[in-house]
Amino acid sequence: MRNRYAVIGNPIEHSKSPQIHAAFAKQTGEKLVYERILGDLQYFERDVIRFFQQGGRGLNVTVPFKVRAWQLADMLGREAQFAEAVNTLLRMPDGSLRGENTDGIGLVRDLTINHHCLLNGSRILLLGAGGAAKGVAASLLEQEPAQLLIANRTSSSAQQLVQRLAGQGSVEWGGLEDLEGRQFDLIINATAAGLNAEIPAIPDGILAPGGWVYDLMYSSEPTAFVTWGRSQRAAKSLDGLGMLVEQAAESFFLWRGVRPETAPVIAILSAA
Ligand code: NDP
């Protein structure tokens, strides 16, 4: 029987993970099947336990279950512990479940390896303080930017996130209204505003000349934030498709011990 993996979420039909992992498996010669599971909103934990009892080897977890997966895991990787959210579950040899969060490494690899963006020494603005922002904040700080400002519509959430990052590097918090007069080399949108084709209420002129814009959201059309980045004359205005593939590659590596090449898979998805 082939090793069984899946992504669980609700809704789940839209997920690109099966396509991505099928491409990784083909490329690396790993023998596995990867399915979609529509998680039950009430009985998510039962669905996960059943999947692993039936021989499943690993799960990706997506909206709205990442926090419940974090609560369910028997042990946590450092990133998942910090993010208080799990997007990857692995069954350990003793049957216990390990929870990991690969969003941060996915974003950093997309920026630094795929796009050659220098994070070290740069001024970074991270917009948002929800699950995605928590998942990427510590990884960004590890790159030792000159400055990391986390700004959120509800500024107290940004404050709480920054307090949890204490001692890990130079990081400050604020509300969106505090951004006037500041400038950043890289602006990352980790808010959910794009789901309604909106952008966060940020002032024009906060992107430094030659600066970059990155939207965690992705879409077949340019997202609202990518369009905003272009209007600000960003040197690059990128969406989160590369991050999606990179975080999947990290899950694949955790499960199989083999690191797939991401560039051809990003190219296939971009073309589609
Ligand atoms: P959450 O619901 O956890 O957080 C939402 C965040 O967005 C909060 O900070 C919220 O602010 C803010 N927000 C929502 N609407 C607005 C608005 N109109 N203006 C300003 N701020 C707003 O969502 P997630 O963190 O899970 O997801 C955020 C985005 O990241 C989604 O688009 C998701 O698709 C994307 N994502 C992409 C990944 C990838 O691999 N490319 C991986 C994970 C996420 P407040 O606190 O004030 O409510």
Side-chain angles (χ1 to χ4, degrees):
M1 195 176 76
R2 289 191 173 214
N3 293 302
R4 210 174 139 224
Y5 296 86
V7 57
I8 184 166
N10 189 327
I12 200 61
E13 316 79 58
H14 67 286
S15 174
K16 295 187 192 301
S17 295
Q19 193 186 349
I20 295 170
H21 284 277
F24 288 163
K26 190 171 171 199
Q27 179 202 112
T28 58
E30 293 288 306
K31 302 271 180 271
L32 58 88
V33 289
Y34 190 106
E35 304 152 2
R36 281 187 181 85
I37 298 177
L38 179 66
D40 189 297
L41 291 174
Q42 195 175 356
Y43 298 113
F44 162 76
E45 290 77 10
R46 178 204 64 189
D47 290 347
V48 170
I49 289 164
R50 188 176 290 167
F51 173 81
F52 284 105
Q53 277 175 347
Q54 290 172 351
R57 299 287 295 272
L59 273 180
N60 280 134
V61 181
T62 186
V63 176
F65 298 126
K66 289 185 185 182
V67 175
R68 284 166 74 177
W70 167 73
Q71 290 163 334
L72 183 65
D74 300 303
M75 64 190 104
L76 294 164
R78 198 167 52 94
E79 290 79 8
Q81 208 165 350
F82 179 81
E84 299 185 338
V86 156
N87 73 349
T88 307
L89 284 167
L90 300 80
R91 193 185 62 191
M92 305 307 285
D94 66 358
S96 61
L97 287 186
R98 185 171 128 210
E100 296 281 352
N101 190 312
T102 64
D103 281 343
I105 194 162
L107 172 65
V108 168
R109 288 180 74 94
D110 191 38
L111 278 165
T112 59
I113 298 176
N114 298 339
H115 296 287
H116 311 289
C117 179
L118 189 66
L119 300 179
N120 184 274
S122 61
R123 296 164 294 172
I124 303 177
L125 169 63
L126 176 62
L127 296 167
K134 282 185 196 155
V136 303
S139 302
L140 288 171
L141 208 45
E142 268 174 21
Q143 299 297 307
E144 301 186 353
Q147 203 181 91
L148 175 62
L149 171 62
I150 302 179
N152 193 42
R153 182 175 61 179
T154 310
S155 61
S156 56
S157 310
Q159 182 182 16
Q160 282 164 19
L161 176 51
V162 166
Q163 281 166 348
R164 295 182 51 236
L165 287 162
Q168 295 188 49
S170 169
V171 53
E172 31 172 351
W173 61 273
L176 302 178
E177 63 285 356
D178 301 323
L179 297 172
E180 197 72 57
R182 306 275 307 251
Q183 277 209 320
F184 302 92
D185 305 306
L186 171 64
I187 301 180
I188 299 171
N189 179 32
T191 75
L195 299 175
N196 299 318
E198 292 172 5
I199 64 161
I202 51 174
D204 284 343
I206 58 172
L207 186 67
W212 290 32
V213 162
Y214 193 104
D215 191 1
L216 261 57
M217 197 180 140
Y218 50 86
S219 162
S220 51
E221 300 298 319
T223 66
F225 203 72
V226 165
T227 303
W228 177 83
R230 290 175 182 169
S231 78
Q232 302 298 302
R233 302 184 181 283
K236 282 203 183 181
S237 196
L238 304 164
D239 75 11
L241 186 70
M243 172 180 167
L244 176 77
V245 176
E246 292 294 340
Q247 59 81 27
E250 187 63 20
S251 298
F252 193 90
F253 177 69
L254 289 167
W255 291 328
R256 308 298 302 172
V258 180
R259 190 172 287 287
E261 289 213 25
T262 51
V265 181
I266 294 172
I268 292 169
L269 291 180
S270 301

